Amino acid sequence: GSAQDKNQADAVNGRYQATLELFVTRARRVEEHSLAADKDKLLGWAKGIIQFQGGPRPTVWWELPDEEALDSLAARCRPFVLNRDPVYHAKVMKALGFFLHDQDEALTRKLSAVKSSWRRLDADSKEMLGYESRVGPIGGSFGEAVTDKALAYAWLYGDLVHADEDVNERVGEHNIDSRFMGGVLLIANVAVQAITTLNLLRAAQTQHLLALDEKVFI
């Protein structure tokens, strides 16, 4: 009876604690990345801020990070949106919810908001991050509208991680530049969410709602 229940509870507790410790270690690598050093810039990329300059020759531009730097940040961020990974965001949210449940109202509310923000970043979520894009030849008709997130995942799995030959089937005539732009939006958002979640864990640890190994925070 009760000894067995206690052992089961301890096993669950230990498993969730291990998930959170692993997440902290991985999320700190995102926080320490060169592209996350300037928080305003990172937030600007996450929001997809486009600049406009008027005058006789109006100019619109979107400042994007260096490709190699984004490749490296994407490698650090990818586990959080890969549902097979031990630090996939839903697993981290479940573990954190286990410890925060009925403990602290403000942190539980924050957890709920963070959970929703993570969900919209999943490849199978229908929600786009900021825009849809249609392309076509000059003088020809435009192809189907493709969301920024579809472009982003085509970049992540078709250009960055694998040499995916059916990338064009998924995003039509959109070229690598279009896919990279989608990638910037996705990866910047994943990085922002990872850092937000990390700060939530720090707050819970400070309030003694978690008892994670202090070494993972240093």
Side-chain angles (χ1 to χ4, degrees):
S2 61
Q4 192 180 356
D5 290 347
K6 187 183 181 308
N7 286 345
Q8 281 178 338
D10 286 349
V12 170
N13 194 313
R15 199 167 66 243
Y16 285 152
Q17 182 153 330
T19 295
L20 295 179
E21 286 176 353
L22 189 55
F23 172 80
V24 169
T25 305
R26 300 300 295 259
R28 284 186 55 228
R29 293 188 68 227
V30 171
E31 186 180 53
E32 289 158 12
H33 194 276
S34 59
L35 290 183
D38 184 332
K39 294 290 180 286
D40 289 338
K41 230 173 193 179
L42 183 65
L43 286 167
W45 289 321
K47 288 174 183 163
I49 291 173
I50 292 173
Q51 322 240 18
F52 174 77
Q53 188 173 336
R57 297 182 66 186
T59 312
V60 175
W61 76 96
W62 184 359
E63 187 193 334
L64 299 172
D66 171 74
E67 187 185 355
E68 273 187 37
L70 189 79
D71 288 357
S72 132
L73 181 60
R76 295 185 187 192
C77 285
R78 185 169 165 254
F80 306 129
V81 287
L82 196 62
N83 57 17
R84 295 191 308 273
D85 202 281
V87 292
Y88 173 57
H89 69 80
K91 295 173 186 173
V92 176
M93 294 292 102
K94 188 177 179 185
L96 191 48
F98 173 80
F99 292 111
L100 294 190
H101 184 63
D102 291 340
Q103 293 294 326
D104 183 282
E105 205 181 317
L107 283 183
T108 306
R109 270 202 314 272
K110 179 79 175 153
L111 175 65
S112 177
V114 169
K115 204 186 278 191
S116 299
S117 297
W118 270 120
R119 270 200 304 265
R120 67 190 280 267
L121 302 179
D122 276 330
D124 59 4
S125 149
K126 298 286 179 273
E127 209 176 329
M128 63 183 174
L129 300 178
Y131 66 92
E132 285 186 323
S133 173
R134 298 176 71 183
V135 293
I138 293 171
S141 58
F142 283 109
E144 291 291 312
V146 175
T147 68
D148 47 10
K149 206 157 52 179
L151 290 168
Y153 277 101
W155 172 78
L156 190 58
Y157 292 112
D159 300 310
L160 181 69
V161 180
H162 312 290
D164 186 346
E165 287 175 4
D166 15 299
V167 73
N168 280 355
E169 282 176 31
R170 285 184 283 137
V171 296
E173 297 298 312
H174 287 85
N175 61 17
I176 189 162
D177 289 341
S178 302
R179 299 194 294 267
F180 179 74
M181 284 159 73
V184 170
L185 201 57
L186 175 69
I187 297 305
N189 272 284
V190 173
V192 167
Q193 284 312 310
I195 295 166
T196 302
T197 307
L198 176 60
N199 286 330
L200 188 57
L201 279 158
R202 284 181 176 132
Q205 178 87 350
T206 305
Q207 292 177 37
H208 307 293
L209 301 172
L210 298 174
L212 306 185
D213 186 341
E214 285 294 342
K215 285 201 216 84
V216 297
F217 288 99
I218 302 163

